[in-house]
Amino acid sequence: MPSQKVPTSYEILDDRFRTGRCANGDAKLEVLYDDCRWAEGPLYLPAWRQLVWSDIPNDRLLRWDETTGAVGVFRTPAGYVNGNTLDREGRLICCEQGNRRVTRTEHDGRVTVLADRFEGKRFNSPNDAVVRSDGSVWFSDPDFGITSDYEGHRAAAEIGGCHVYRIDPVTGAVRIVADGFDGPNGLVFSPDERQLYVSDSRAARIRVFDVRDDGTLSDGVVFAESKDSGFDNIRFDDGGRLWAAALEDGVHCYDPDGTLIGRITVPEAVSNIAFGGPKNNRLFITATTSLYSLVMAVTGLPRVRTVRPGPTGQSSAG
């Protein structure tokens, strides 16, 4: 079945959005699927030319095939999965809100639990994850999945706070690396991995932390704030610009200095974004009930980066 298309617009707020060719792309959003309850977690799988994403209230992972346009169920029940990512070996990492854990799907299909507790207490509802080049898994843990039965299972919080955690790649030990959030959500490392950006949905801000040699973080500073909408997940393009799913305010684009330079309008509230496609210049957007895509003139950060020691012993990417 041919996909539908709906108009979009690029709102230029700073000339850098125009000169960076951020507004050069499809004039219409392609609607790839529109039968979710609340869509999140898009992840492009380049080896298979497929995209997986989460339909959280329906407790399923869906899969879209780029070569045929077909959509099917990848996994159900899925533990009310929210965010998805890949590790360095191409294995699927899932944040299961309902099961209150972070898992890895092995190449043979087995599911391995990477973490489900901190100091003997169950997590709230892991939301989004990112894997650093050293193999460590970093994830956010708001309480969105335990406040009701809509996106998980209503339950009491055991930890008593909403934090960001790191899973050690060798020992599997879990530690808190950042706290002081109202609702930590999207995570992304800077291109050189020396900074970690974290969106705080309830506070409507994005914070940035320096990553130290030992994997701990600085106290963090505010990178961006929004008066009109909260933030969900965030992604970098290869020009160092940060793109943010801004819920009712569409998709935001920030210059590396934190200036909001442009927006992309979307008919529904935007939950998550991801770059993909053969050239990594197709922006996939999950928004309320739908999965959209937009072929752009900007390209996402390279999927696989060569990491070498930085001048202070930290990793850097080339």
Side-chain angles (χ1 to χ4, degrees):
M1 175 188 287
S3 59
Q4 299 176 341
K5 294 188 177 181
V6 297
T8 188
S9 65
Y10 302 87
E11 184 178 357
I12 298 174
L13 303 175
D14 184 289
D15 196 52
R16 286 171 286 185
F17 195 67
R18 180 186 61 80
T19 58
R21 301 180 60 82
C22 301
N24 293 32
D26 288 347
K28 292 185 176 181
L29 287 165
E30 193 170 1
V31 183
L32 304 177
Y33 188 75
D34 64 357
D35 196 25
C36 296
R37 277 199 160 89
W38 179 254
E40 293 232 22
L43 173 67
Y44 185 76
L45 308 173
W48 299 99
R49 294 195 64 185
Q50 294 181 346
L51 182 117
V52 296
W53 81 99
S54 308
D55 182 8
I56 305 176
N58 285 323
D59 193 15
R60 59 182 182 170
L61 277 171
L62 297 173
R63 174 175 49 203
W64 169 79
D65 188 286
E66 188 172 30
T67 61
T68 66
V71 173
V73 175
F74 176 77
R75 179 182 296 160
T76 187
Y80 294 89
V81 167
N82 191 316
N84 302 286
T85 193
L86 292 177
D87 70 4
R88 299 289 294 178
E89 296 182 35
R91 296 172 296 187
L92 179 64
I93 305 293
C94 295
C95 292
E96 299 182 10
Q97 286 193 161
N99 292 331
R100 300 167 75 169
R101 65 187 190 180
V102 179
T103 62
R104 181 180 66 219
T105 301
E106 309 296 345
H107 292 304
D108 63 4
R110 292 178 298 113
V111 175
T112 299
V113 178
L114 298 181
D116 61 0
R117 284 171 169 77
F118 176 69
E119 296 182 343
K121 301 175 181 178
R122 297 187 71 190
F123 295 121
N124 299 318
S125 52
N127 183 282
D128 194 20
V130 64
V131 179
R132 201 166 183 238
S133 59
D134 63 0
S136 56
V137 179
W138 305 58
F139 67 95
S140 57
D141 185 43
D143 60 2
F144 305 152
I146 60 173
T147 56
S148 75
D149 288 319
Y150 188 69
E151 293 187 72
H153 305 291
R154 184 171 59 182
E158 297 183 16
I159 291 176
C162 299
H163 312 307
V164 173
Y165 296 86
R166 177 186 184 272
I167 305 174
D168 187 272
V170 177
T171 67
V174 179
R175 69 183 182 193
I176 296 173
V177 290
D179 55 17
F181 299 97
D182 294 331
N185 200 319
L187 306 173
V188 68
F189 282 107
S190 61
D192 62 4
E193 293 192 332
R194 296 181 186 181
Q195 294 177 310
L196 178 71
Y197 290 72
V198 182
S199 68
D200 191 337
S201 295
R202 292 193 177 114
R205 66 171 61 105
I206 298 170
R207 292 167 62 188
V208 57
F209 302 82
D210 291 330
V211 182
R212 302 188 183 101
D213 292 356
D214 61 358
T216 60
L217 300 179
S218 66
D219 291 336
V221 296
V222 174
F223 173 78
E225 293 184 288
S226 175
K227 297 179 180 178
D228 302 315
S229 178
F231 295 108
D232 206 299
N233 90 320
I234 44 183
R235 290 292 181 264
F236 274 103
D237 67 23
D238 65 359
R241 292 170 291 256
L242 185 71
W243 297 77
L247 301 173
E248 293 83 2
D249 208 34
V251 179
H252 286 193
C253 179
Y254 292 90
D255 187 77
D257 68 5
T259 302
L260 176 61
I261 60 174
R263 294 188 182 93
I264 298 174
T265 62
V266 179
E268 302 176 90
V270 177
S271 60
N272 278 191
I273 55 175
F275 285 100
K279 295 183 177 180
N280 209 29
N281 68 334
R282 189 171 189 171
L283 185 68
F284 294 94
I285 303 169
T286 51
T288 312
T289 63
S290 305
L291 172 67
Y292 300 91
S293 80
L294 192 70
V295 178
M296 305 181 69
V298 299
T299 302
L301 197 66
R303 302 184 185 104
V304 178
R305 288 170 286 161
T306 302
V307 179
R308 58 186 182 276
T312 62
Q314 295 173 307
S315 62
S316 60

